[in-house]
Amino acid sequence: NEGQVTKSLFVEGGFAEADDGRCTLLATKAQDVADISADDASARLTTAQEAEAAADENGKAAAAQEVTVAEAMVFAASNRAA
């Protein structure tokens, strides 16, 4: 499988760096994209949007970050390779 993607990971709260021979991952959470349920990702997004709408000024930034993560998770689940 040289030069081919063999696994796609959803990285939350961190970063990944890949070069020719390896991938370095530093993250709060990472999971195989194949394990992300589109329904679960959509539910997470709905919950995050509701929390953002209800958040006070002190919680707005964290709530907005959760919406961003949930949107990315929905995208990953919807666009994973077959």
Side-chain angles (χ1 to χ4, degrees), residues 39-54 63 66-67 70:
D39 290 339
D40 289 346
S42 292
R44 181 174 176 174
L45 178 56
T46 298
T47 299
Q49 289 168 331
E50 290 169 354
E52 183 180 34
E66 176 61 16
V67 169

Side-chain angles (χ1 to χ4, degrees), residues 10 12 29 31-49 66-80:
F10 181 82
E12 183 177 335
K29 182 177 179 184
Q31 69 185 96
D32 193 327
V33 171
D35 294 338
I36 299 172
S37 156
D39 290 339
D40 289 346
S42 292
R44 181 174 176 174
L45 178 56
T46 298
T47 299
Q49 289 168 331
E66 176 61 16
V67 169
T68 299
V69 170
E71 288 172 340
M73 187 173 274
V74 167
F75 180 84
S78 300
N79 292 287
R80 64 178 151 234

Side-chain angles (χ1 to χ4, degrees), residues 11-26:
V11 178
E12 183 177 335
F15 71 93
E17 180 180 290
D19 61 28
D20 292 336
R22 68 182 175 164
C23 177
T24 302
L25 177 64
L26 298 172

